[in-house]
Amino acid sequence: MTMTDNPSPITTRLDGEAPEIQVSFDILKRGAYASPVIVAVCAVFAGLDGVFSALYGMALVLVNFFCAAGLVAVTARISLGLMMGAVLFGYIARLGLIFLAVILVRDASWISLTALGLTIIVTHLGLLVWEMRYVAASLAYPGLKPRRQ
Amino acid sequence: MEALSALVAELTGDEEKAAAAASSAGFAYGLAAIGPGIGIGYLVGKSVEAMARQPEAAGMVRTTMFLGIAFTEALALIGFVVFILIGL
């Protein structure tokens, strides 16, 4: 079957492995590679506070990726309609969690809000561009990438 | 709104500036979250349609969808960073 005549997003569900989880693990791996550079840059202009802020910001971004991936992976096994709802409400929920995570530490002595903010943006966009380049270059999602014999 | 106006009237110059900065930051964050919300809704809606029509292509659609969601969300994160830099 190549095409469904009457597709119903409510009853359609996707079994099998979840590519989002693989993408998230890839992003985590790349984040580990990039972390020394980001931490070093933050240390240069914000000192020790910059180091802690950069680590906190990177942790926030990576946890955010994993939450998004987990939400899609779990709900896609149930129903595509549920997945859509979960992604939309998950977006609001994750923004709220990031907001809460920053509000909780904003007055901490070890935080530099500038370093934290820049780390969040640079890490998020940088890791995404890096991962996208890999996915586009492999012409398939990581689980389908041909392995060398 | 009247309560806000009354509160602002009681503030001194610096406090007024801080209050204006906080409310502007809140507006900025709220406005920055609207666009990505619409974008993610459209993106996921089209992806679900594609996956329901052609389930065997679901793997690639899901990967692209996940990256698209994350890219769209970056706009909201930029709004959030503006919020924490000028509002907190």
Side-chain angles (χ1 to χ4, degrees):
Chain A
M1 183 182 69
T2 55
M3 189 169 283
T4 309
D5 289 335
N6 295 311
S8 170
I10 305 296
T11 53
T12 306
R13 62 194 187 97
L14 301 172
D15 293 321
E17 60 181 331
E20 303 85 17
I21 301 291
Q22 296 177 27
V23 169
S24 290
F25 274 112
D26 264 12
I27 288 176
L28 177 67
K29 192 175 69 183
R30 288 166 212 279
Y33 295 152
S35 59
V37 177
I38 296 171
V39 168
V41 169
C42 288
V44 165
F45 76 87
L48 201 57
D49 292 355
V51 171
F52 291 130
S53 303
L55 290 174
Y56 191 68
M58 290 190 69
L60 272 182
V61 169
L62 293 174
V63 167
N64 186 37
F65 277 131
F66 269 98
C67 285
L71 213 57
V72 173
V74 169
T75 53
R77 290 180 197 280
I78 302 170
S79 151
L80 289 182
L82 179 65
M83 185 191 79
M84 183 166 179
V87 168
L88 288 176
F89 283 101
Y91 163 69
I92 298 293
R94 281 182 289 115
L95 278 187
L97 285 178
I98 291 176
F99 177 78
L100 196 66
V102 173
I103 287 289
L104 285 177
V105 299
R106 68 175 172 167
D107 294 326
S109 59
W110 48 270
I111 206 82
S112 160
L113 287 176
T114 311
L116 178 65
L118 290 179
T119 302
I120 288 175
I121 290 179
V122 170
T123 308
H124 190 92
L125 281 176
L127 291 179
L128 270 178
V129 169
W130 198 354
E131 182 65 24
M132 188 187 67
R133 192 168 162 266
Y134 167 74
V135 169
S138 70
L139 299 177
Y141 72 91
L144 284 182
K145 187 181 179 187
R147 290 189 173 82
R148 292 188 180 187
Q149 297 296 322
Chain B
M1 208 59 193
E2 287 176 13
L4 185 63
S5 305
L7 184 67
V8 169
E10 288 176 13
L11 299 176
T12 61
D14 287 346
E15 288 170 338
E16 198 174 331
K17 267 188 188 172
S23 59
S24 306
F27 274 119
Y29 186 28
L31 288 173
I34 292 174
I38 295 169
I40 289 176
Y42 190 73
L43 191 157
V44 180
K46 287 292 179 187
S47 302
V48 165
E49 196 179 307
M51 285 187 275
R53 281 182 183 277
Q54 209 165 350
E56 68 271 15
M60 292 180 80
V61 174
R62 279 170 76 176
T63 306
T64 317
M65 182 190 77
F66 181 66
L67 291 176
I69 290 170
F71 267 112
T72 314
E73 203 177 299
L75 294 173
L77 284 179
I78 290 171
F80 175 66
V81 168
V82 170
F83 166 73
I84 63 174
L85 290 184
I86 67 174
L88 286 183

